C-alpha cells in the first residue's frame, strides 16, 4: 500500500515502527520482535539506512527479508549524502524490483572524512527531485520539531519542508522529541507556511537512562529537567526504567492524540515491548 493511501482520511491514529538492520546481520531476533509488533497491526515498518553508509548491503538484505515475510508495507530509509548518482540509481532500481512502493528520502549526516564524498546529491531535495522523475516510489521525508541542528532558523527548515511537499512528499516523520509543546509549536508554524502533508510524531519510549543521555547529547533534543530527574531515579533498574519509559511515552501519545495527530511513528530500537505497551495503553 502506498503512503498516500495509508494516511488517507484515517480517523484513528495509524501506528508505524522503525527498526534498524542488526549490526551482526543476524535477523533472527529482529524477526521475533517484529512478530510481537505485528500483533498491533502497524500500517508500516520502516528500516533505517546506516549513517555514513556503514551498512548499506545489510540494509538492503533486511529490507528484502522483511518484504518477503511481512504482510505490512516495508519502507526503507535511504540517504543520498556521499553517494554517487550511479550508486543511487542502482539502489533505487533494486528497491523497486523488490516491489517496494514507499521510501523515506533523506540527506543523511555527513561523515567526518567529507573530502572522500561524492557530491552528486547535496540534500534530500536533490534525492526527491530524482525520485519524482525516475521512479514510481512514493516518498516520505524528515521533519524537525526542534529544528535541524544545522539549520539557522525554523523558517529555513520549514521552507525546506514546504519544498519537499511541493516536490511530492506524501508524509513527514519527525525527529524524536520529548516535549510535546515543541511539536505543537512546529505544527502551527508549518500550517501558517502552507505545509499540509501529515507530520507524524516520532516517539521513542525510553529503555535506558544512558541511552536518554546519549540522545539528548547527540541530537540536542529538549527535555525538562524534571523528566530527566524522573528517569534518573530509576537508572539502576532496567525494569523500572522500561516501566517509566512506557508511562512517559503513553502520556505523551495520549496528549498528541487529543491534539489530532494522524499517526505515531515508534523508534523501537528493535525492541517491541515498550512500543506495544504504549499502544495498548492508548487504545484501551
Ligand atoms: P535535508 O532535508 O536536506 O536537510 C534538513 C534540514 O537541515 C533542512 O531543513 C536544512 O534547513 C537543514 N540543514 C541540513 N544540513 C545543513 C547544513 N549543512 N547547513 C545548513 N542547514 C542545513 N539518518 C541516517 O543516516 N539513516 C537513517 O535511516 C535516518 N533516518 C531518519 C529518520 C527520521 C524520521 C529522521 C527525522 C531523521 C533520520 N536520519 C537518518 C537523520 C537525517 O539523515 C539527518 O537529520 C540529516 O542531517 C538530515 O537529513 P534530511 O533528509 O532531513 O536533510
Amino acid at each position: 500500500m502506498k503512503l498516500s493511501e495509508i494516511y488517507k482520511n484515517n480517523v484513528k491514529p495509524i501506528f508505524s515502527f522503525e527498526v534498524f538492520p542488526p549490526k551482526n546481520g543476524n535477523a533472527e531476533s529482529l524477526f521475533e520482535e517484529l512478530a510481537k509488533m505485528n500483533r498491533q497491526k502497524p500500517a508500516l515498518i520502516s528500516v533505517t539506512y546506516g549513517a555514513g553508509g556503514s551498512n548499506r548491503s545489510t540494509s538492503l538484505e533486511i529490507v528484502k527479508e522483511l518484504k518477503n515475510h511481512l504482510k505490512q508495507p516495508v519502507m526503507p530509509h535511504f540517504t543520498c549524502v556521499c553517494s554517487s548518482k550511479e550508486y543511487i540509481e542502482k539502489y533505487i532500481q533494486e528497491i523497486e524490483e523488490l516491489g517496494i512502493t514507499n521510501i523515506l528520502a533523506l540527506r543523511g549526516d555527513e561523515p567526518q572524512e567529507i573530502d572522500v564524498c561524492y557530491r552528486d546529491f547535496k540534500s534530500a531535495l536533490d534525492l526527491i527531485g530524482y525520485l519524482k522523475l525516475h521512479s514510481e516510489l512514493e516518498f516520505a521525508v524528515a521533519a524537525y520539531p526542534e529544528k535541524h541542528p544545522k539549520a539557522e532558523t525554523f523558517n529555513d527548515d520549514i521552507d525546506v519542508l514546504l519544498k519537499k511537499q511541493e516536490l511530492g512528499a506524501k508524509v513527514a516523520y519527525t525527529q524524536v522529541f520529548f516535549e510535546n509543546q515543541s511539536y505543537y509549536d512546529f505544527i502551527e508554524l508549518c500550517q501558517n507556511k502552507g505545509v499540509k502533508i501529515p507530520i507524524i510524531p516520532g516517539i521513542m519510549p525510553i529503555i535506558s537512562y544512558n541511552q536518554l543521555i546519549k540522545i539528548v547529547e547527540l541530537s540536542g533534543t529538549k527535555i525538562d529537567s524534571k523528566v530527566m530527574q524522573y528517569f534518573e531515579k530509576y537508572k539502576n533498574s532496567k525494569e523500572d526504567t522500561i516501566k517509566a519509559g512506557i508511562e512517559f511515552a503513553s502520556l505523551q501519545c495520549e496528549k498528541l492524540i487529543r491534539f489530532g495527530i494522524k499517526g505515531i511513528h515508534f523508534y523501537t530500537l528493535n525492541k517491541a515491548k515498550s512500543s506495544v505497551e504504549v499502544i495498548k495503553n492508548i487504545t484501551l
Side-chain angles (χ1 to χ4, degrees):
M1 198 190 271
K2 292 203 164 192
L3 285 166
S4 51
E5 294 163 49
I6 293 175
Y7 293 101
K8 192 176 170 191
N9 303 329
N10 63 297
V11 182
K12 287 188 175 170
I14 279 166
F15 303 117
S16 51
F17 294 121
E18 177 182 300
V19 298
F20 57 82
K23 289 207 171 62
N24 56 10
N26 178 1
E28 211 172 294
S29 67
L30 175 59
F31 275 101
E32 281 169 22
E33 295 300 312
L34 278 164
K36 295 176 206 160
M37 292 179 207
N38 278 344
R39 285 183 212 131
Q40 302 308 315
K41 302 193 170 49
L44 63 85
I45 304 289
S46 85
V47 186
T48 66
Y49 185 81
S54 55
N55 63 357
R56 287 170 176 175
S57 49
T58 2
S59 189
L60 193 60
E61 280 310 308
I62 293 291
V63 168
K64 251 186 228 172
E65 278 199 55
L66 295 186
K67 172 78 181 110
N68 290 337
H69 287 90
L70 298 180
K71 288 197 193 93
Q72 284 77 17
V74 176
M75 178 177 70
H77 299 197
F78 183 66
T79 66
C80 59
V81 70
C82 284
S83 291
S84 68
K85 184 161 181 279
E86 291 70 33
Y87 176 84
I88 292 169
E89 273 169 359
K90 188 161 173 282
Y91 201 92
I92 298 300
Q93 194 187 337
E94 282 181 311
I95 290 287
E96 287 201 282
E97 280 168 6
L98 290 177
I100 300 281
T101 52
N102 308 308
I103 194 165
L104 176 50
L106 300 151
R107 188 194 65 150
D109 287 322
E110 288 180 331
Q112 305 284 332
E113 328 79 61
I114 191 72
D115 48 328
V116 295
C117 269
Y118 286 96
R119 313 295 282 154
D120 293 351
F121 289 64
K122 294 187 183 65
S123 77
L125 289 175
D126 294 335
L127 175 61
I128 65 178
Y130 175 86
L131 291 171
K132 191 177 154 72
L133 287 178
H134 300 285
S135 89
E136 297 294 316
L137 293 167
E138 284 200 348
F139 41 89
V141 293
Y144 301 87
E146 291 173 346
K147 197 173 74 56
H148 187 282
K150 294 264 172 74
E152 301 232 325
T153 65
F154 266 109
N155 257 339
D156 293 349
D157 234 10
I158 296 169
D159 282 345
V160 173
L161 185 57
L162 201 55
K163 281 199 194 119
K164 291 174 176 177
Q165 172 181 280
E166 283 162 11
L167 285 170
K170 299 294 181 224
V171 53
Y173 294 94
T174 78
Q175 185 62 283
V176 65
F177 60 89
F178 298 107
E179 294 201 6
N180 281 5
Q181 195 57 47
S182 302
Y183 178 81
Y184 305 150
D185 295 344
F186 179 67
I187 294 296
E188 195 184 337
L189 287 174
C190 286
Q191 284 172 347
N192 289 343
K193 277 196 158 249
V195 179
K196 293 193 171 69
I197 54 172
I199 301 176
I200 307 298
I203 298 296
M204 184 188 288
I206 294 302
I207 53 177
S208 117
Y209 181 70
N210 287 344
Q211 168 217 44
L212 176 60
I213 303 265
K214 212 161 131 190
I215 294 165
V216 172
E217 272 173 14
L218 284 180
S219 65
T221 308
K222 280 194 227 159
I223 188 156
D224 195 284
S225 57
K226 283 194 202 115
V227 177
M228 223 41 197
Q229 282 159 15
Y230 170 73
F231 281 106
E232 195 179 2
K233 233 176 22 195
Y234 303 112
K235 72 176 179 188
N236 294 323
S237 160
K238 199 170 173 204
E239 211 178 299
D240 288 344
T241 303
I242 290 175
K243 234 165 102 185
I246 293 169
E247 236 170 74
F248 183 80
S250 301
L251 197 62
Q252 211 188 349
C253 292
E254 270 168 24
K255 289 179 183 164
L256 286 165
I257 290 172
R258 280 204 293 275
F259 180 74
I261 45 149
K262 289 197 80 138
I264 299 173
H265 188 63
F266 286 98
Y267 289 100
T268 69
L269 302 171
N270 290 4
K271 299 276 179 236
K273 182 181 160 69
S274 298
S275 306
V276 166
E277 287 303 316
V278 172
I279 293 176
K280 284 184 185 162
N281 285 344
I282 59 181
T283 51
L284 276 179

